[in-house]
Amino acid sequence: MKPSPIHFPNHPRSLPPIPSLLTAARVLPRVQMSSSPSQRPAALPAIPPLPDNLIVLGCGAVSVDYLATVAAFPNPDDKIRSISLKVEGGGNAGNALTGACRLGLKPRVISKVANDAQGRSLLAELEGDGVDTSYIVVAEEGNSPFTYIIVDNQTKTRTCIHTPGNPAMVPEELTQLKLSSALDGASLAYFDGRLWETALVVAQEASRRRIPILIDAERPREGLDDLLNLATYVVCSEKFPQVWTDAPSVSSALVSILVRLPNLKFVIVTLGEKGCIMLEKSAIGASEMEETEVDSLLESLRTKVGGSSGIPTCISSEASLRISADGIGAVNGRLHVGTAEIISPTELVDTTGAGDAFIGAVLYAICAGMPPEKMLPFASQVAAANCRALGARSGLPCRADPRLAPFWL
């Protein structure tokens, strides 16, 4: 008997609309109270006050995600059934800004959707979380962006098949008045590399206003180099640093990135279950110091991680080293190694949007002035929480989530 197929419609208009987050409750674990003081749970650490400036502006992708979970990824020409189907908002910028919003920031987003059922649901979902959508362009014709995501229940990996929105956004659709209003009062601007022509216009104006810029360097894209030249901070996927620099190792690639982009304050590479690495530029000169080779420095830090308790942590080098990579150059800075939470196979559901969750937490951490030693474990914990639910947004934790309590200290 032949297995049955996964039924995917031919056009997004025939797919069901996204359930609004206004009706999709995010329920935190209940704590049973006891009248006996000895049986009451210990008090959680106090959540710190919100940063003074909560406004961040993001420019990039928002989309509809159709997530089909399967027992195992199909072979060519296979026909299989899905275990479950979920429809919710996605897109790198939409996900990261939703995560930042749940942590307490007030994000604005520049993007484009169509005036179709998917586009209207996207707007409602973002607005339900508190993201300002007034700078999103709504086209009367065409289709909103959407992505089919196949989640392999055996390996806990996902495969994405993206269809861009049509017609594409062009810079002329963002008026000078709208651009000025979007940036007014913003403490940080964030770009996911999509909509690059519009993004570059926004980034140039942000740079002119001396607003710090964070770039998500997921993969090489058209126009990304121009955005990187304006960046204050960069967060990379695991493969990007070596692809972009041709360096022989990830750590030497981070040195190359800081050498090539002198305006950067730090670059982070996320490594999934292996954690992350940050190379932070030092404001204090160390040019006369003896150079420390970056690969050796990274190895020495990793030996200090030791037996992990499963809770994200950060191991840092001495401050203001002269860190070098053979044949590339040297920078004055500090290297940080962040570990990831160890998630049991029974708790791990889906890694979709984990990188976006990490970036949303980094946006918050920058606004809050967190040092790297706090930023990296905090962002790793937010990403780990998101991996415990299906989809890119369902597992994004709110500010009061007890799982974040240890990281507010």
Side-chain angles (χ1 to χ4, degrees), residues 57-63 90-97 109-112 145 162 189-200 202-203 213-224 227-228 233-237 240 355-356 359-360 363 393:
L57 174 65
C59 177
V62 298
S63 70
N92 297 73
N95 299 337
L97 295 175
V109 59
I110 294 173
S111 192
K112 184 175 181 177
H162 180 66
Y190 150 65
F191 303 88
D192 68 4
R194 303 319 205 289
L195 313 177
W196 73 271
E197 292 175 308
T198 301
L200 186 57
V202 178
I213 292 171
L214 184 146
I215 303 295
D216 171 11
E218 183 181 37
R219 62 173 60 91
R221 302 181 191 276
E222 187 175 8
L224 181 60
L227 289 172
L228 288 171
Y233 315 101
V234 172
V235 180
C236 308
S237 65
F240 179 83
D356 302 331
I359 288 176
L363 293 174
R393 299 186 190 173

Side-chain angles (χ1 to χ4, degrees), residues 35-93:
S35 58
S36 170
S38 62
Q39 295 179 10
R40 290 175 187 167
L44 295 173
I47 300 175
L50 286 166
D52 292 336
N53 193 336
L54 302 175
I55 298 172
V56 296
L57 174 65
C59 177
V62 298
S63 70
V64 182
D65 286 351
Y66 298 95
L67 298 117
T69 304
V70 297
F73 193 83
N75 295 312
D77 209 30
D78 270 359
K79 295 180 180 180
I80 62 173
R81 286 188 182 275
S82 62
I83 298 172
S84 64
L85 175 67
K86 185 174 187 178
V87 186
E88 70 174 8
N92 297 73

Side-chain angles (χ1 to χ4, degrees), residues 6 24 81 139 151 177-178 216 226 242 263 293 312 394-395 408:
I6 302 176
R81 286 188 182 275
V151 180
L177 184 62
K178 278 274 191 180
D216 171 11
D226 293 329
Q242 287 179 267
N263 295 326
E293 204 278 323
S394 298
W408 296 124

